[in-house]
Amino acid sequence: MMKPARTKPPRRALAKKPSNNGQKDPVGVYCRVRPLSPSDQECCIEVINETTVQLHPPDGCKVNKNGEYKETQYSFKQVFGTHHTQKDLFDVVAKLLVEDLIRGKNGLLFTYGVTGSGKTYTMTGSPGQGGLLPRCLHMIFNSIRDLQAKRYVFKTDDKNGIEVQNMVEALLDRQKRDAQPQIVPKTPLSRQKPEPEFADMINIEDGCKVEDIDEDSVYSVFVSYIEIYNNYIYDLLEEVPIDPIKPKWNTPGKNAEFIPPQSKILREDQNHNMYVAGCTEVEVKTTEEAFDVFWKGQKRRRIANTQLNRESSRSHSVFMLKLAQAPLDADGENVLQEKEQITVSQLSLVDLAGSERTNRTKAEGSRLREAGNINQSLMTLRTCIEALRENQMCGTNKMVPYRDSKLTHLFKNYFDGEGKVRMIVCVNPKADDHEESLQVMRFAEMTQEVEVARPVDKPICGLTPGRRYRNQAFKEELTRRLEERGGPVIGESEEQTAIELLFQSFPPIPSCELLDANDNQTLPQLIEALEKRRRIRQMMSEEFTKSVTSFRSMLQDFNGVVAAKENIAQGKVTEKERTIISQKSEIERLEKKVKTLEYKIDILEKTTSIYEGEKRNLQQDLESQQQKLQRQLSDKRRLEARLQGMASENAMKWEKECERRVAAKQLEMQNKLWVKDEKLKQLKAIVTDSKSERPERPSREKDREPKVPVRSISPSPVSNVPPVHSRHRRSHSAGAERWVDHKPSGSVETEMIMQPHVPNSIKVSVASEKALSKCDKYMLTHQQLASDGEMETKIIKVTI
């Protein structure tokens, strides 16, 4: 037989929390710089102004890859330097949280920083310098001093709720508590003198109070104190019974059989707020009593001696102040028994353990495991803040890992729900903490960008305001009237004594026993005594009637006065209602204006985003065009350099060519002039001398010798040169003819087929008298450039 399928139970619908029109406030982050210790010489943190600090890398620390020092600045809501006092810090950071607590709003304040940066001092203080926690307690009790309910009127349940009891139930609870045997030590109800250890911490002379407090309500304060150690929650106020068999039970370090206290678990109440199940909540009535409870738990907190701090906190501590308030009834005497009228607000003061690097603390064993758990929980807190920031800025729906750590899971409702969140970043300016301080500053800067929903105001009670003091005034007036008309008002015990005296004033009744029938005295005496009693009774009845009449008239007069005052109050209420209606209309008008402005702001933001996108595109186009222009300019420069090289090369080439051509032309002209001179000399010799005589050799000047010409690059073939035939006409003296074949050294071989052949010739490159004297004929091979640019070769023959 198959079992029916098990259906999944329907999911409970989530109750919607009241919202404040979606308004949000950023997390307030403040920075506090502790003074530099005398043993530390180098300071790496400098306060620039009221909102900015600057971090200087210490000597020998290279932050950038290029080895340059990099100074970074971080901004906060406000920076508190070494000259600021504990009161300055409280007035700016915690005072508003206490005011919101009394007005029914939640708050969270925690200190964050490295080990030894002054977190515990900021939260707790020192003798003569009370920290934030005692100042918060002093302000709370200074504000509700005369408005507190009697003990046990408010009673906590096991589900993070508050119940209201009547006076009888509260009295029974007080008697039951007083009748309990003193086996388990209890927190003292009151102290005439505080403990000497913390007496100076709570002795706050410059205390303050909340103005405009609701005087028609009664208040009661409950405190609880827990620690988160190795990701486990422990109740520091839990009383562990003493085992008579093991008297050293729960005494660490004295008994090998020490058993740590039982850890607590987190649960979710009906309003989806997280709370510690089974946590001890103590009702306190004075600052001394509340701080005594805190000091008792502080002694149980885990601290240890590390390399960085002599008393280093090894756990996160959370001191929770829960304020319950309920309105009085219409008579202004008793508390309303309706649970819906109870307002519960909570202020959590968190002292986080310091983040630390294990290689600096030299931790080993359990200390090393503690440091790892501390760093892990702080890392989870940072991850949650990063996820919240990304979801809010980018519009994503990324899951926030609250459940990865008990610390973040406990305060989940502060970030997802409503309430103010404040963080104090404590830093130590010494150079050794520079790296850790840098990480703390980055986390704080990121936390400022997270927004938390603004808390809503508590609902207004529909009863007439001022009823408490009106009832007290009525009682005082009634007492005064009674004193004027009939003497002072007597109490219940005094009234019983007066009745006894009244009966004693009556004449005593004589003996009624008749011993003789002829007794004529007993009855007349009895009749006389009864007659006296009747007269006295009649007088008392008349007096009572007069008193009743006067009291009735007095009540009528008092009713008239009350009616007149009610009429005046009704007129004032009507006027206030009109004012409220006008203010509501003004608020509605302003809300519409705000919505219009928000719509315009959205449009402007969208337009701005569009323009910014276009601006980025244009900047990218401009950058690409600039890069293209740079490439073109570089190409142009390279081309110009190349052209200049080619131009210079061509200029040198043509300059050499021109020099060569000028030299060739000069050689040609010199040859022509020499040839002409030779011809003229030969003609002159022929004319003047006789035919039998041999002509004299012409003198040659050395300066007429032609210079060696530059050889042509591309010689042209010989043109216009008469061919020299091998079969030439022989003269009569052919057998003895000798030639001087003058061919200058700069002549270019023509490589023609028909080359002149001169036998018995003396080949010279420069004509000389010695060569001419041995020969009969002279032949010159001359080369010059023709008109078409080609090389022209000429042969000149002369008979000597």
Side-chain angles (χ1 to χ4, degrees):
M1 182 176 179
M2 297 182 61
K3 294 182 180 180
R6 190 174 180 181
T7 59
K8 188 176 182 179
R11 186 177 182 181
R12 183 179 61 181
L14 296 176
K16 292 184 178 180
K17 293 184 179 181
S19 60
N20 198 4
N21 297 327
Q23 296 180 354
K24 294 185 176 182
D25 294 322
V27 176
V29 181
Y30 303 84
C31 179
R32 188 176 196 185
V33 183
R34 64 163 291 176
L36 194 66
S37 301
S39 59
D40 298 322
Q41 300 295 331
E42 187 177 1
C43 179
C44 66
I45 296 178
E46 178 185 0
V47 179
I48 302 299
N49 50 41
E50 293 183 353
T51 59
T52 308
V53 296
Q54 181 169 317
L55 267 70
H56 305 278
D59 295 339
C61 177
K62 295 183 178 180
V63 179
N64 293 339
K65 292 182 178 179
N66 55 4
E68 297 178 358
Y69 289 100
K70 184 179 180 182
E71 297 178 349
T72 55
Q73 293 186 357
Y74 297 93
S75 299
F76 299 91
K77 200 167 184 179
Q78 188 166 343
V79 176
F80 298 90
T82 57
H83 61 280
H84 288 89
T85 61
Q86 297 276 50
K87 184 180 183 301
D88 298 335
L89 183 67
F90 171 78
D91 291 341
V92 176
V93 181
K95 187 176 180 180
L96 294 177
L97 294 179
V98 176
E99 293 178 355
D100 289 344
L101 176 71
I102 295 179
R103 292 187 173 92
K105 302 175 184 178
N106 297 332
L108 171 64
L109 173 63
F110 61 97
T111 56
Y112 182 85
V114 301
T115 299
S117 58
K119 300 183 298 301
T120 304
Y121 170 78
T122 300
M123 188 62 69
T124 307
S126 62
Q129 291 289 333
L132 298 180
L133 191 147
R135 291 179 183 273
C136 289
L137 293 174
H138 188 273
M139 183 176 179
I140 291 172
F141 289 107
N142 196 26
S143 302
I144 64 172
R145 183 186 306 275
D146 301 327
L147 306 177
Q148 296 189 68
K150 292 185 177 180
R151 203 178 294 269
Y152 295 111
V153 171
F154 291 99
K155 185 179 181 181
T156 60
D157 56 13
D158 296 333
K159 298 179 181 179
N160 201 31
I162 298 290
E163 298 176 350
V164 179
Q165 299 187 127
N166 55 34
M167 299 302 295
V168 177
E169 292 174 344
L171 180 61
L172 291 175
D173 283 346
R174 287 196 294 271
Q175 292 177 353
K176 184 179 178 181
R177 181 184 185 279
D178 295 337
Q180 286 179 355
Q182 301 296 321
I183 297 177
V184 180
K186 296 191 292 287
T187 303
L189 299 179
S190 62
R191 285 186 181 271
Q192 297 298 329
K193 293 183 179 180
E195 290 285 346
E197 294 178 290
F198 58 84
D200 293 337
M201 293 186 187
I202 61 177
N203 186 15
I204 300 172
E205 298 178 354
D206 51 358
C208 54
K209 62 183 296 185
V210 179
E211 303 294 337
D212 301 330
I213 191 173
D214 185 7
E215 297 174 344
D216 295 318
S217 298
V218 292
Y219 302 85
S220 188
V221 179
F222 297 86
V223 296
S224 57
Y225 196 18
I226 65 170
E227 72 170 352
I228 302 175
Y229 175 72
N230 287 340
N231 207 25
Y232 289 99
I233 300 176
Y234 297 100
D235 185 5
L236 295 176
L237 303 180
E238 183 179 14
E239 297 289 353
V240 180
I242 300 175
D243 192 343
I245 301 177
K246 299 178 180 179
K248 294 184 180 180
W249 187 268
N250 278 352
T251 307
K254 295 183 179 180
N255 192 0
E257 298 180 358
F258 167 72
I259 299 176
Q262 184 66 33
S263 63
K264 305 297 180 180
I265 60 175
L266 292 176
R267 293 191 183 276
E268 190 177 39
D269 61 8
Q270 60 180 359
N271 296 324
H272 306 287
N273 294 323
M274 304 306 299
Y275 71 98
V276 180
C279 180
T280 304
E281 291 182 322
V282 181
E283 186 178 5
V284 291
K285 295 299 179 183
T286 61
T287 303
E288 292 78 8
E289 186 179 350
F291 202 81
D292 182 69
V293 173
F294 165 76
W295 200 255
K296 180 180 178 181
Q298 187 75 358
K299 291 180 179 179
R300 300 178 181 177
R301 191 181 175 190
R302 291 171 173 84
I303 61 174
N305 185 6
T306 64
Q307 192 75 14
L308 300 181
N309 194 357
R310 187 173 59 86
E311 293 183 357
S312 175
S313 301
R314 313 309 298 165
S315 63
H316 310 298
S317 65
V318 183
F319 188 75
M320 289 177 282
L321 294 165
K322 185 181 290 185
L323 180 67
Q325 51 184 307
L328 296 172
D329 56 8
D331 296 333
E333 291 186 359
N334 300 318
V335 184
L336 286 178
Q337 299 296 312
E338 300 176 5
K339 193 172 183 179
E340 294 77 12
Q341 295 294 335
I342 303 174
T343 302
V344 180
S345 54
Q346 181 172 308
L347 174 61
S348 299
L349 304 176
V350 185
D351 182 12
L352 296 176
S355 60
E356 55 190 19
R357 289 186 296 178
T358 55
N359 58 351
R360 290 188 59 203
T361 58
K362 309 299 182 183
E364 296 178 355
S366 61
R367 297 285 89 83
L368 182 62
R369 184 165 60 92
E370 290 169 358
N373 288 320
I374 291 170
N375 294 334
Q376 181 63 34
S377 60
L378 295 177
M379 183 61 68
T380 304
L381 176 63
R382 181 168 185 168
T383 305
C384 293
I385 295 294
E386 288 178 352
L388 284 171
R389 172 176 169 270
E390 183 178 353
N391 291 341
Q392 293 176 2
M393 297 185 66
C394 303
T396 58
N397 194 17
K398 186 178 179 181
M399 186 187 71
V400 183
Y402 291 117
R403 293 179 178 269
D404 291 353
S405 173
K406 291 293 194 306
L407 177 66
T408 55
H409 195 195
L410 177 60
F411 300 114
K412 167 182 176 294
N413 52 293
Y414 284 97
F415 293 100
D416 283 349
E418 296 176 349
K420 288 186 178 179
V421 181
R422 298 287 181 267
M423 182 175 75
I424 301 176
V425 177
C426 299
V427 292
N428 193 338
K430 67 178 182 178
D432 294 339
D433 290 347
H434 176 263
E435 292 294 332
E436 289 84 351
S437 299
L438 198 62
Q439 298 298 326
V440 168
M441 293 294 183
R442 291 172 182 171
F443 171 69
E445 190 176 44
M446 178 184 60
T447 306
Q448 294 183 103
E449 301 176 358
V450 176
E451 294 181 345
V452 181
R454 185 176 299 174
V456 297
D457 297 329
K458 71 174 184 178
I460 300 175
C461 181
L463 298 176
T464 305
R467 53 193 179 275
R468 176 197 288 268
Y469 291 109
R470 187 176 62 188
N471 185 33
Q472 292 179 0
F474 172 75
K475 289 181 179 180
E476 292 174 358
E477 182 67 19
L478 180 61
T479 303
R480 188 182 64 80
R481 294 287 182 90
L482 290 175
E483 288 177 353
E484 290 177 356
R485 292 179 180 253
V489 179
I490 56 178
E492 187 176 349
S493 60
E494 295 178 356
E495 185 177 359
Q496 293 177 359
T497 306
I499 293 173
E500 293 176 357
L501 293 173
L502 181 62
F503 279 108
Q504 291 176 3
S505 64
F506 282 99
I509 298 175
S511 177
C512 299
E513 185 179 0
L514 294 175
L515 300 176
D516 188 3
N518 295 323
D519 189 0
N520 296 325
Q521 296 180 358
T522 303
L523 289 177
Q525 290 178 357
L526 179 61
I527 292 171
E528 185 181 359
L530 293 175
E531 187 66 25
K532 288 182 179 179
R533 283 176 174 265
R534 186 186 65 80
R535 286 195 300 269
I536 294 172
R537 181 180 174 218
Q538 187 176 1
M539 291 174 60
M540 292 178 63
S541 178
E542 291 175 358
E543 185 66 25
F544 180 73
T545 303
K546 290 180 182 179
S547 299
V548 168
T549 304
S550 64
F551 185 70
R552 186 179 288 112
S553 63
M554 184 186 66
L555 285 178
Q556 289 176 356
D557 295 341
F558 187 75
N559 287 333
V561 174
V562 170
K565 290 184 177 180
E566 284 183 351
N567 292 331
I568 295 173
Q570 188 65 30
K572 291 183 179 179
V573 168
T574 305
E575 184 179 356
K576 293 292 184 182
E577 287 179 351
R578 292 188 189 135
T579 306
I580 290 172
I581 292 172
S582 62
Q583 289 179 353
K584 284 184 177 179
S585 61
E586 181 67 17
I587 289 171
E588 290 177 356
R589 185 184 66 81
L590 292 175
E591 286 179 351
K592 291 180 181 179
K593 186 176 180 180
V594 167
K595 289 181 180 179
T596 305
L597 293 176
E598 287 178 351
Y599 177 72
K600 291 181 180 179
I601 289 172
D602 292 338
I603 294 176
L604 291 176
E605 287 178 352
K606 292 179 181 178
T607 307
T608 304
S609 62
I610 293 172
Y611 286 158
E612 286 179 353
E614 293 179 355
K615 181 182 176 181
R616 286 194 296 271
N617 295 332
L618 292 175
Q619 286 179 350
Q620 292 177 358
D621 294 340
L622 180 62
E623 290 176 357
S624 61
Q625 293 294 334
Q626 288 178 349
Q627 292 176 359
K628 185 177 180 181
L629 183 61
Q630 291 292 336
R631 289 194 298 269
Q632 290 179 355
L633 289 175
S634 61
D635 295 341
K636 183 178 179 181
R637 292 192 193 95
R638 287 196 297 271
L639 184 60
E640 287 179 353
R642 184 178 177 184
L643 291 176
Q644 288 178 358
M646 294 176 64
S648 60
E649 183 179 355
N650 289 332
M652 293 177 62
K653 180 178 178 181
W654 283 107
E655 185 177 356
K656 292 180 180 180
E657 181 67 20
C658 290
E659 291 177 354
R660 185 189 62 79
R661 291 185 180 183
V662 168
K665 195 68 175 177
Q666 289 178 353
L667 179 62
E668 180 184 0
M669 297 300 295
Q670 290 177 358
N671 291 335
K672 285 183 179 180
L673 291 175
W674 183 78
V675 170
K676 288 181 180 180
D677 290 341
E678 291 295 328
K679 286 182 177 180
L680 289 175
K681 290 178 180 180
Q682 291 177 4
L683 290 175
K684 185 178 179 181
I686 293 170
V687 172
T688 56
D689 296 340
S690 61
K691 294 182 179 180
S692 61
E693 294 178 355
R694 297 183 61 88
E696 294 179 2
R697 307 298 298 182
S699 63
R700 303 284 180 91
E701 295 179 2
K702 292 184 180 181
D703 57 345
R704 293 292 185 98
E705 292 179 4
K707 296 180 181 180
V708 179
V710 179
R711 187 171 183 178
S712 175
I713 296 175
S714 56
S716 60
V718 179
S719 61
N720 297 326
V721 178
V724 179
H725 299 283
S726 58
R727 299 176 67 184
H728 54 277
R729 184 178 59 88
R730 294 180 177 268
S731 63
H732 57 90
S733 60
E737 290 180 351
R738 297 191 68 179
W739 289 80
V740 177
D741 188 0
H742 181 194
K743 186 180 290 184
S745 60
S747 299
V748 179
E749 297 294 334
T750 58
E751 297 180 357
M752 298 180 60
I753 297 174
M754 301 296 292
Q755 292 287 345
H757 178 69
V758 181
N760 299 325
S761 63
I762 299 172
K763 294 181 180 182
V764 293
S765 60
V766 178
S768 61
E769 291 182 357
K770 183 177 180 180
L772 290 175
S773 61
K774 294 180 179 180
C775 299
D776 299 328
K777 293 185 178 182
Y778 172 81
M779 184 178 67
L780 174 65
T781 303
H782 174 66
Q783 290 180 342
Q784 68 179 2
L785 287 174
S787 62
D788 57 354
E790 297 293 334
M791 183 66 70
E792 182 180 7
T793 303
K794 293 182 179 180
I795 297 175
I796 302 171
K797 294 182 178 180
V798 178
T799 303
I800 299 175

